[in-house]
């Protein structure tokens, strides 16, 4: 009996221990099974929280938000863009405008705010809104399409920026021509700065250009504008999306807060603006070039803009009559792109690469980066304003939908 009870005691203990151990093993196995699933769930939730593509805004929302944001940024920085244009297109040697502050103060003091610093604001407004609406619609479509096809996001952002600017260019290039000319002209009958332009208004400028130079002149500098804006937009949005993704991972949320929104957007625009400054210089000079040098004497000195006749040529009077009949001191259909009349070299080409080479040979690296200060500030503030407003308006439209997402 005693031996039986002892045996029963030991057998009961073994069975209890086996039950306990088995229970522990079951619990451990259950935990091991639960932990990966919980980890996967948490990681998936975080990824969805910080994934740009998890909740794609409707195209109409993106286009309106981009149009309002881009136009607001452009209008806010138009005066600084005028400063940059004056520095890049100054025909005087040595230049009349030197530093950014000096240029800003000189234009404001001599020509005023509306006609001077904000000259050309009307075509800038129309072109900015139309261009940015087209841009953001094309950008969102191309970006989503490439990501859906499995293309790496960084490549998708870069290529989408190129494609979007290509799609928007027909909408804003004519306004860019009008804006640049009116900015360089300043006030009507400007006694302080002789750019060669003298339009009474935006409508008068458009009519004059179309009548005297043809409608194609409104698209002059189209290739140069694309040379500048395609790499700028590609770099800007590649930088922006990358910086914003890093900010989201750092914050662990799709909402990174206003300070980081401003920092990422301004940094992306500023870096892209500085890198593409040489292309901007060439673009400005192509769109604001002179055309009063006789085509029959290409080797004549480029610093003589007046119709001074030379006894060596038999047809100067004919050229003079033609010029007076045309009455176009500046044209954007001529290969001369520097707008420099007082000892500076003329490009004599409409090729961007050739223009870059000539500027480098005659003015050095400094010629490539004329106006880099205003451009860096302008692109930083403009990009910051545009992209922060873009994200803010997207969130607003999401809370107050204009259309249903499933409709698009």
């Amino acid at each position: 009996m005693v031996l039986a009870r002892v045996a029963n005691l030991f057998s009961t203990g073994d069975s209890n221990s086996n039950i306990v151990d088995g229970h522990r093993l079951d619990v451990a196995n259950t935990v091991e099974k639960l932990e990966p699933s919980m980890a996967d769930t948490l990681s998936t939730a975080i990824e969805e929280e910080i994934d740009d593509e998890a909740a794609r805004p409707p195209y109409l929302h993106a286009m309106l938000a981009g149009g309002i944001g881009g136009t607001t940024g452009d209008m806010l920085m138009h005066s600084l863009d005028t400063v940059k244009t004056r520095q890049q297109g100054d025909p005087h040697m040595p230049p009349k405008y030197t530093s950014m502050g000096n240029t800003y103060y000189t234009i404001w003091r001599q020509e005023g705010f509306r006609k001077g610093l904000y000259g050309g604001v009307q075509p800038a407004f129309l072109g900015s809104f139309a261009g940015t609406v087209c841009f953001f619609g094309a950008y969102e479509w191309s970006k989503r399409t490439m990501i859906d096809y499995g293309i790496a996001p960084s490549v998708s952002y870069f290529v989408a920026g190129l494609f979007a600017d290509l799609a928007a260019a027909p909408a804003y290039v004519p306004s860019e021509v009008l804006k640049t000319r009116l900015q360089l002209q300043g006030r009507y009958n400007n006694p302080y700065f002789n750019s060669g332009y003298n339009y009474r208004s935006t409508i008068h400028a458009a009519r004059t250009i179309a009548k005297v130079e043809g409608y194609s002149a409104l698209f002059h500098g189209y290739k140069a504008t694309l040379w500048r804006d395609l790499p700028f937009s590609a770099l800007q949005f590649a930088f922006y999306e990358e910086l914003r993704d890093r900010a989201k991972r750092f914050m662990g949320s799709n909402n990174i807060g206003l300070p980081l929104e401003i920092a990422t957007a301004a940094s992306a625009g500023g870096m892209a603006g500085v890198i593409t400054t040489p292309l901007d210089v060439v673009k400005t000079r192509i769109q604001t070039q002179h055309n009063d040098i006789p085509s029959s004497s290409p080797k004549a000195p480029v610093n003589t803009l007046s119709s001074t006749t030379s006894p060596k040529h038999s047809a100067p009077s004919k050229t003079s009559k033609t010029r007076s009949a045309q009455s176009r001191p500046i044209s954007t259909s001529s290969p001369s792109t520097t707008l420099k009349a007082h000892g500076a070299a003329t490009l004599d080409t409409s090729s961007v690469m050739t223009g870059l080479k000539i500027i480098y040979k005659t003015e050095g690296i400094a010629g490539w980066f004329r106006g880099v200060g205003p451009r860096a500030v302008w692109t930083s503030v403009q990009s910051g304003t545009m992209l922060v407003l873009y994200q803010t308006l997207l969130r607003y439209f999401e809370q107050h939908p204009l259309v249903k997402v499933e409709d698009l």
Side-chain angles (χ1 to χ4, degrees), residues 386-398:
M386 176 183 71
L387 294 172
V388 169
L389 275 177
Y390 176 70
Q391 297 296 338
T392 303
L393 288 171
L394 284 182
R395 287 192 289 270
Y396 176 83
F397 290 149
E398 184 179 1

Side-chain angles (χ1 to χ4, degrees), residues 347-359:
L347 297 187
D348 289 329
T349 181
S350 59
S351 168
V352 173
M353 295 305 297
T354 304
L356 287 172
K357 292 177 183 178
I358 294 174
I359 292 174

Side-chain angles (χ1 to χ4, degrees), residues 229-262:
D229 288 348
L230 289 180
F232 172 79
S233 296
L235 290 171
Q236 178 189 28
F237 278 85
F239 289 151
Y240 175 65
E241 298 280 11
E242 179 63 26
L243 291 173
R244 201 162 185 272
D245 286 344
R246 293 188 180 188
K248 290 176 183 177
R249 290 195 294 269
F250 175 77
M251 297 295 292
S253 172
N254 192 43
N255 187 2
I256 62 177
L258 184 60
L260 279 178
E261 288 280 10
I262 295 174

Side-chain angles (χ1 to χ4, degrees), residues 313-362:
H313 299 283
S314 59
S317 57
K318 183 177 180 180
T319 304
S320 176
K321 290 179 181 179
T322 303
R323 270 183 293 173
S324 60
Q326 289 176 339
S327 182
R328 73 192 230 194
I330 293 182
S331 168
T332 57
S333 60
S334 164
S336 173
T337 61
T338 58
L339 233 178
K340 291 182 176 298
H342 307 290
T346 302
L347 297 187
D348 289 329
T349 181
S350 59
S351 168
V352 173
M353 295 305 297
T354 304
L356 287 172
K357 292 177 183 178
I358 294 174
I359 292 174
Y360 177 75
K361 289 180 180 179
T362 57

Side-chain angles (χ1 to χ4, degrees), residues 14-30:
D14 289 339
S15 62
N16 289 338
S17 65
N18 289 336
I19 292 172
V20 173
D21 292 342
H23 179 68
R24 287 176 180 173
L25 288 173
D26 291 339
V27 171
N29 292 333
T30 303

Side-chain angles (χ1 to χ4, degrees), residues 40-58:
D40 293 341
T41 303
L42 290 174
S43 62
T44 302
I46 293 174
E47 288 176 359
E48 288 179 354
E49 176 66 20
I50 63 175
D51 186 9
D52 278 336
E53 304 305 319
R56 297 178 174 181

